[in-house]
């Protein structure tokens, strides 16, 4: 049978068009590219109406956004709007306020429902079929910030996290949209005041750099007979052929310089190095230097301006540690100098109200496995009960690495049995109250709890914070 080519050609062309259309949808990619989440006036008052989110279409095809939405954090459903390839769209809490503040920027979509958190949260984009297109879990500490010396507070400074995108007049900008955008090391505060809505970010850099995904050490509380394996996972390691990592470490309190060792790659693609056995009660400081070929290397944690490598990852050697499932146990590890400073604050009545925060590693053994939170902060707390020892303590976790969903927890030493019973009673009566349970707390391996009464009976009261990180 003779086939008329004109009959088969038209369906073939339609198939090609459909295939091409499908391909363009696959190639299209929407990226959360800039976030303006914390805008404050000169008095520190928040102005939620000035919040906005910028989205970038990095693909070669236009995208019809009708029915797409921003969820988690704030909620917004896109109207009948088409975003061109390699173009930006801004969604604002208040489009009119946005237009007055950025008269040269493109017209913003909005308004949205809700407000963005000042400490960080999840922002998600979903398409019309509810498929997740992009997600960013931004924060204002940890990988999303840097540490610096804190303000003088009764003769003590400690450390604070600094991020100009958190109320400092700058937006939070993605550095390289072609790399992973849910990693804080690929974001930075804008160079320009107010950010760059609707245009290329001021910090944009197409050069690929290694992005840290996670850091761990094992054993978490080693004995003096144990070498310790330090492991670091790189989020985008597959993109490099010549990635080099170095581990720098030293024993706290010695005059020795940091020793360095090259890190090797294991079967899972993570990098590791082993620190040799150390004496009992030694505190080990460590940090990393990451490099790619001839490019400039990067260090984490960053050096403190004017201080050097003094705010690092920490672990401790403790021959006295014995695992005990019968009671929740917690360990706080500081350098000896900072442990002594925190103790001094608690001993001297003229300094006891200081809120200076010390760097620490926090380890929990509470039936949920061994959990470690590095680069946490500890300070003394309390209204009329700050003199010690022992002292009430507040542990604050990085906003990008919370513990049990908590940004902070309290360890109280004043009449702990009353606090525990009071918490249970309030909750039994239906009154909102923080959970409070009896626990063991070790500061650099030492249990400071009074064994008898009437204050402690050998236990601290661990109380979860209900709202602000540093409520007394």
């Amino acid at each position: 049978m003779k086939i008329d080519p004109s009959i088969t050609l038209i369906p073939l062309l339609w198939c090609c068009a459909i295939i091409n259309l499908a391909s363009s949808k696959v190639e299209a990619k929407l990226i959360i590219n800039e976030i303006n989440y914390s805008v404050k006036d000169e008095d520190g008052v928040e102005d939620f109406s000035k919040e906005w989110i910028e989205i970038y279409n990095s693909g070669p095809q236009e995208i019809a956004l009708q029915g797409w939405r921003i969820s988690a954090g704030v909620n917004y459903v896109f109207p009948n709007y088409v975003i061109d390839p390699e173009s930006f769209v801004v969604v604002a809490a208040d489009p009119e306020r946005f237009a007055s503040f950025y008269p040269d920027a493109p017209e913003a979509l909005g308004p949205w429902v809700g407000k963005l958190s000042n400490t960080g949260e999840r922002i998600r984009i979903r398409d019309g079929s509810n498929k997740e297109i992009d997600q960013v879990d931004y924060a204002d500490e940890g990988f999303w910030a840097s540490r610096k010396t804190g303000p003088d507070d009764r003769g003590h400074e400690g450390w604070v996290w600094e991020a100009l995108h958190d109320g400092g007049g700058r937006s939070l900008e993605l550095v390289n949209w072609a790399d992973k955008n849910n990693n804080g090391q690929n974001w930075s505060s804008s160079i320009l005041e107010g950010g760059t809505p609707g245009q290329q970010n001021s910090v944009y850099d197409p050069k690929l750099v290694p992005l840290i995904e996670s850091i761990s050490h094992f054993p978490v509380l080693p004995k003096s007979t144990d070498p310790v394996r330090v492991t670091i996972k790189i989020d985008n390691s597959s993109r490099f052929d010549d990635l080099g990592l170095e581990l720098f470490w030293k024993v706290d309190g010695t005059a020795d310089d940091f020793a360095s060792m090259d890190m090797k790659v294991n079967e899972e693609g993570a990098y590791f190095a082993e620190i040799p056995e150390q004496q009992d009660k030694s505190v080990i400081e460590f940090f990393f230097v990451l490099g790619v070929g001839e490019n400039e290397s990067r260090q984490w944690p960053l050096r403190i301006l004017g201080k050097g490598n003094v705010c690092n990852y920490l672990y401790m050697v403790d021959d006295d540690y014995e695992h005990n499932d019968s009671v929740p146990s917690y360990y706080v590890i500081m350098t000896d100098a900072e442990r002594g400073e925190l103790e001094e604050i608690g001993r001297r009545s003229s300094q006891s109200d200081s809120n200076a925060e010390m760097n620490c590693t926090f380890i929990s053994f509470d039936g949920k496995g061994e959990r470690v939170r590095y680069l946490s902060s500890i300070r003394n707390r309390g209204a009329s009960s700050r003199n010690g020892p022992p002292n009430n303590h507040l542990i604050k976790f990085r906003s990008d690495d919370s513990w049990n969903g908590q940004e902070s927890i309290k360890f109280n030493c004043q009449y702990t049995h009353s606090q525990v019973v009071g918490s249970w009673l309030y909750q039994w009566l239906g009154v909102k109250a923080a959970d409070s349970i009896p626990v063991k707390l070790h500061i650099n391996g030492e249990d400071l709890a009074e064994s008898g009464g009437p204050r402690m009976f050998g236990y601290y009261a661990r109380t979860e914070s209900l709202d602000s990180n540093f409520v007394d």
Side-chain angles (χ1 to χ4, degrees):
M1 180 171 55
K2 185 177 180 181
I3 300 176
D4 185 348
S6 64
I7 297 177
T8 59
L9 183 59
I10 294 176
L12 181 61
L13 291 173
W14 275 106
C15 288
C16 291
I18 292 173
I19 292 172
N20 184 60
L21 179 60
S23 299
S24 69
K25 288 184 177 180
V26 171
E27 292 172 356
K29 182 169 178 58
L30 234 57
I31 296 169
I32 298 169
N33 191 59
E34 189 173 2
I35 308 168
N36 199 43
Y37 68 91
S38 179
V39 185
K40 299 176 182 178
D41 62 22
E42 296 179 355
D43 298 323
V45 178
E46 185 77 18
D47 188 347
F48 301 108
S49 67
K50 291 183 179 179
E51 296 178 346
W52 48 267
I53 298 170
E54 179 193 79
I55 299 169
Y56 178 58
N57 178 10
S58 64
Q61 304 292 332
E62 64 181 24
I63 304 175
L65 296 180
Q66 185 168 17
W68 290 44
R69 58 193 176 94
I70 298 175
S71 64
V74 296
N75 291 284
Y76 176 73
V77 179
F78 284 87
N80 184 17
Y81 183 89
V82 176
I83 181 172
D84 292 330
E86 300 181 3
S87 296
F88 306 89
V89 61
V90 174
V91 182
D94 186 333
E96 291 186 4
R97 292 291 304 279
F98 176 87
S100 64
F101 202 65
Y102 301 95
D104 298 327
E107 183 178 355
L109 301 178
W112 63 44
V113 176
K115 59 184 180 181
L116 296 172
S117 168
N118 285 352
T119 58
E121 63 182 329
R122 176 170 298 168
I123 301 174
R124 183 185 293 122
I125 300 177
R126 292 187 182 274
D127 66 13
S129 62
N130 205 37
K131 176 184 176 182
E132 182 179 302
I133 302 301
D134 192 29
Q135 175 182 305
V136 171
D137 299 277
Y138 73 91
D140 65 343
E141 295 174 343
F143 289 148
W144 303 78
S146 60
R147 259 177 166 166
K148 70 173 186 177
T149 304
D152 181 87
D153 189 349
R154 294 170 174 81
H156 300 275
E157 296 176 330
W159 315 105
V160 296
W161 289 101
E162 181 181 53
L164 292 179
H165 51 80
D166 181 13
R170 312 297 173 90
S171 68
L172 178 60
E173 292 187 339
L174 183 63
V175 176
N176 185 355
W177 53 261
D179 210 343
K180 302 207 177 239
N181 76 325
N182 200 14
N183 186 305
Q185 297 195 321
N186 194 24
W187 291 78
S188 182
S189 298
S190 63
I191 297 173
L192 301 179
E193 188 82 16
T196 55
Q199 56 183 299
Q200 181 171 282
N201 289 344
S202 61
V203 299
Y204 172 71
D205 187 347
K207 181 174 74 272
L208 291 174
V209 297
L211 306 173
I212 299 173
E213 179 182 347
S214 64
I215 293 165
S216 62
H217 75 273
F218 184 84
V220 294
L221 275 176
K223 298 187 181 302
S224 57
T225 54
D226 296 327
V228 173
R229 174 170 288 202
V230 176
T231 303
I232 180 170
K233 294 182 180 179
I234 302 301
D235 212 2
N236 55 349
S237 60
S238 62
R239 308 194 69 166
F240 303 101
D241 295 325
D242 51 356
L243 180 59
L245 277 71
E246 287 184 278
L247 172 67
F248 287 76
W249 67 276
K250 66 174 291 187
V251 178
D252 170 55
T254 66
D256 298 337
D257 293 331
F258 282 90
S260 67
M261 57 179 69
D262 293 333
M263 305 189 76
K264 302 175 183 178
V265 183
N266 63 19
E267 295 178 353
E268 289 77 35
Y271 289 76
F272 72 94
E274 283 196 352
I275 298 176
E277 305 94 319
Q278 301 298 323
Q279 293 182 359
D280 183 36
K281 300 301 184 288
S282 296
V283 172
I284 312 302
E285 303 180 64
F286 62 98
F287 65 89
F288 306 88
V289 172
L290 302 80
V292 178
E294 300 299 323
N295 293 336
E296 182 180 355
S297 58
R298 309 171 72 206
Q299 177 180 316
W300 180 258
L302 300 174
R303 294 166 60 89
I304 304 295
L305 184 63
K307 302 281 187 176
N309 299 306
V310 293
C311 209
N312 301 305
Y313 285 74
L314 305 169
Y315 73 82
M316 182 179 183
V317 180
D318 191 357
D319 286 345
D320 297 326
Y321 165 70
E322 294 183 3
H323 186 73
N324 184 356
D325 286 329
S326 63
V327 60
S329 298
Y330 303 90
Y331 282 73
V332 173
I333 301 166
M334 294 177 276
T335 63
D336 189 61
E338 294 194 24
R339 182 206 57 77
E341 183 175 3
L342 191 67
E343 184 176 306
E344 180 187 356
I345 291 173
R347 286 182 182 275
R348 297 177 179 271
S349 58
S350 61
Q351 303 173 12
S352 61
D353 285 335
S354 173
N355 289 331
E357 306 169 25
M358 308 300 156
N359 174 50
C360 71
T361 293
F362 177 85
I363 305 175
S364 60
F365 305 92
D366 56 3
K368 297 182 180 180
E370 303 173 342
R371 293 180 291 168
V372 181
R373 295 294 183 269
Y374 301 107
L375 305 181
S376 298
S377 301
I378 179 172
R379 72 161 173 89
N380 296 334
R381 63 164 301 276
S384 59
S385 56
R386 283 188 174 233
N387 290 335
N391 291 99
N392 300 318
H393 295 299
L394 183 74
I395 309 293
K396 185 192 172 193
F397 308 105
R398 294 162 25 191
S399 60
D400 68 342
D401 194 18
S402 63
W403 180 87
N404 272 8
Q406 295 280 311
E407 294 182 0
S408 66
I409 53 173
K410 304 168 185 174
F411 290 93
N412 297 331
C413 64
Q414 301 292 328
Y415 304 100
T416 57
H417 56 291
S418 298
Q419 295 186 49
V420 172
V421 172
S423 171
W424 175 85
L425 181 60
Y426 274 116
Q427 293 184 21
W428 183 77
L429 292 172
V431 179
K432 185 178 180 181
D435 286 333
S436 187
I437 62 173
V439 302
K440 288 290 187 179
L441 175 66
H442 297 80
I443 306 292
N444 279 33
E446 187 175 2
D447 182 359
L448 297 176
E450 298 169 352
S451 58
R455 294 201 306 171
M456 299 189 73
F457 295 99
Y459 294 92
Y460 284 79
R462 192 212 75 196
T463 304
E464 296 183 353
S465 300
L466 286 176
D467 38 36
S468 176
N469 294 334
F470 286 84
V471 173
D472 281 327

